[in-house]
Amino acid sequence: MHTEHTITLPDGRTLGFAEYGDPNGFPVFYFHGGQESRLSSIFMDPMARELQLRIIAPDRPGIGLSSYQENRTLLDWGKDIAALADALDMATFSVFGLSGGGPHVLACALGIPKRIAKASIVSGTGPHNYRGKLKGVWFPVKLLHWFAGSKKDRNLRKFIAQEYKTLYKKPQKRLRQLQKFLPKPDRILLKENPAYGTEFIKGSQEAYRQGIEGVVQEWKLYVSDWGFALKDIRKPVALWYGGKDKMAPKYRGMHLNKMLPNTTFHLLPNEGHFSLLRNHLQEILEGLRPLP
C-alpha cells in the first residue's frame, strides 16, 4: 500500500495517486466520490490483495496531490488516466467509481474505450438535464445541486467552505452529522465499524488539501452539460445502486440504465450510499476482472 505517488502529466500538471492491493495484480483504476480523495479507498486493500487486483486511486484536479486544472471538462479525465496508465506501463485496465466518480467512469468509457477491460459505476450521480434528477435526494445534497447550478457560486462556496472548516476543526461533528442523516444501512455500517468513519474523515480532509477550489469546480461539473451523450457510450457498464441511498438514489441508476446502450443493472434494495460498496466490494471487484 502506497499513498503518496505523483507523476507529471504532458501539460506539466501533477497527478497524485495511491496504490492498494496486489502490486502485481490486474490494474483497476478507482475514481473517488465528490469531496473525497485517493485516501478514501484504503479499505479496499485487503480484498484487492485477495483477488489479485492492483487498485490505482488518483486524485482529480485540485484534489489532494493533483494540480488544479483551469476550465477542465469531464472528458479531460480520460486523457489524464491514459497518461497515468502509460506512466505505469499499463496497456489495458478496468475502471470504477463511486458517486461523483461515476461520470468520470463514463468519460473514460467514451474517450478511451479500447484500453478499458471492464467499467462499473457504484452509487453514481446522474446527468443534470433530465426530469426527476433530484427525486429521492437528501435535502443537503439538493442544496448543493441548486447552489452549483446557479450562475453565481457564492452560496456554493459558502456551503463548501463550511464543510471544509468543520472537517478540519470539528471532524467528530461531521461524523455525527453523517451518522444522524445517512440512511439506516450506512448508519449501521459506521456504528459497527468505527474505523470506517475515521477513514472517511481522513479521505475527505485530503480532498481540501489545496483549499476548496477543486471541490467547487467538481460540483459545477456535475450539474453542467457533461460534454457527451449517454447514447454514444458503447462500452458495457455495470451499474450498482442501493435502494435506501439518498445521496445517489436508485432513480439515477434507473435513468442511466435506460439511457446507456449496454448495461448490467444491480439494484440492492437494502443498501445505502456507502454500505453498498463496503458490503459488496468482493462482487464489484470480481466484476472488474478481465475475461479469461
Side-chain angles (χ1 to χ4, degrees):
M1 179 166 56
H2 303 279
T3 61
E4 300 288 323
H5 291 306
T6 61
I7 66 162
T8 301
L9 294 166
D11 64 2
R13 287 181 294 118
T14 297
L15 182 68
F17 64 100
E19 290 201 40
Y20 306 103
D22 182 351
N24 298 311
F26 181 77
V28 175
F29 286 83
Y30 172 71
F31 305 152
H32 60 75
Q35 294 156 278
E36 295 187 312
S37 70
R38 72 191 186 285
L39 301 183
S40 301
S41 46
I42 191 171
F43 71 94
M44 299 182 192
D45 187 66
M47 182 59 68
R49 286 182 182 276
E50 182 178 327
L51 297 178
Q52 296 181 308
L53 295 174
R54 180 183 178 185
I55 304 290
I56 302 98
D59 287 325
R60 290 194 288 275
I63 303 297
L65 300 173
S66 293
S67 303
Y68 185 79
Q69 181 184 10
E70 293 283 353
N71 303 314
R72 86 170 174 102
T73 68
L74 286 171
L75 289 173
D76 288 334
W77 186 240
K79 300 171 187 175
D80 287 354
I81 293 304
L84 177 55
D86 289 344
L88 298 176
D89 197 25
M90 298 171 177
T92 59
F93 45 86
S94 290
V95 296
F96 77 121
L98 172 72
S99 195
H104 294 84
V105 169
L106 295 177
C108 289
L110 180 64
I112 51 171
K114 292 182 179 179
R115 301 194 67 171
I116 296 174
K118 297 287 191 70
S120 293
I121 291 173
V122 183
S123 306
T125 190
H128 75 294
N129 56 351
Y130 72 96
R131 176 176 287 185
K133 64 182 179 181
L134 295 180
K135 183 178 180 180
V137 175
W138 182 32
F139 183 70
V141 179
K142 284 185 179 181
L143 278 179
L144 276 167
H145 276 269
W146 293 330
F147 293 160
S150 173
K151 291 183 179 179
K152 296 182 179 180
D153 62 9
R154 182 182 65 179
N155 287 329
L156 175 64
R157 289 180 174 278
K158 184 177 180 180
F159 192 106
I160 290 175
Q162 182 59 49
E163 165 96 348
Y164 170 73
K165 181 179 178 181
T166 302
L167 274 169
Y168 276 94
K169 293 189 175 182
K170 299 178 180 179
Q172 291 306 311
K173 178 181 178 180
R174 178 62 177 139
L175 195 54
R176 287 194 298 271
Q177 289 172 340
L178 283 172
Q179 290 169 327
K180 181 178 180 180
F181 294 109
L182 285 173
K184 187 175 180 179
D186 292 330
R187 296 200 306 271
I188 291 173
L189 178 77
L190 291 174
K191 184 177 180 179
E192 293 182 348
N193 303 275
Y196 288 174
T198 302
E199 291 171 5
F200 176 80
I201 292 296
K202 288 181 178 178
S204 296
Q205 287 175 332
E206 181 66 9
Y208 294 96
R209 182 173 182 147
Q210 301 175 52
I212 70 170
E213 291 305 317
V215 176
V216 169
Q217 184 186 59
E218 281 244 314
W219 268 101
K220 290 182 178 180
L221 282 175
Y222 298 153
V223 302
S224 301
D225 187 327
W226 285 2
F228 55 86
L230 297 179
K231 65 181 178 60
D232 293 334
I233 299 171
R234 302 296 170 179
K235 195 74 183 178
V237 180
L239 304 171
W240 297 80
Y241 283 80
K244 304 294 185 182
D245 191 352
K246 295 181 180 180
M247 298 181 79
K250 62 183 180 181
Y251 307 107
R252 294 189 172 180
M254 292 164 67
H255 178 74
L256 291 177
N257 188 48
K258 177 182 178 181
M259 300 304 294
L260 290 167
N262 195 344
T263 61
T264 304
F265 188 40
H266 305 268
L267 177 59
L268 291 88
N270 296 315
E271 295 294 355
H273 192 68
F274 300 108
S275 68
L276 193 159
L277 181 57
R278 302 276 182 154
N279 293 338
H280 298 272
L281 181 63
Q282 181 172 348
E283 299 166 66
I284 293 168
L285 290 181
E286 285 177 341
L288 292 164
R289 286 169 157 172
L291 293 172

